[in-house]
Amino acid sequence: MSTWHQIASATTTIAFSICLFIASQMYVASRLSAAEFSTSHVMKLRNAAYRVPRGH
């Protein structure tokens, strides 16, 4: 019984750390893509602002 408990505990720990690792990877990836998207969006906005003639 004790051995089974240790195996179950170890399996749970391993599964939990794998889930945590996958979640952090997805979080980092989404943050990076969001940062890239916002950066390109800002650059587009700046380019559009530069194209607008200054004096009305």
Side-chain angles (χ1 to χ4, degrees):
M1 195 65 188
S2 174
T3 311
W4 165 247
H5 184 71
Q6 283 179 347
I7 292 172
S9 160
T11 309
T12 308
T13 308
I14 291 169
F16 181 69
S17 33
I18 289 173
C19 286
L20 213 77
F21 176 73
I22 292 172
S24 65
Q25 289 293 309
M26 287 172 63
Y27 175 75
V28 167
S30 68
R31 290 293 294 183
L32 281 176
S33 58
E36 283 174 13
F37 176 75
S38 61
T39 306
S40 62
H41 192 62
V42 166
M43 295 306 256
K44 280 181 194 165
L45 281 177
R46 277 193 190 150
N47 289 342
Y50 284 141
R51 285 196 206 108
V52 172
R54 292 293 165 189
H56 288 299

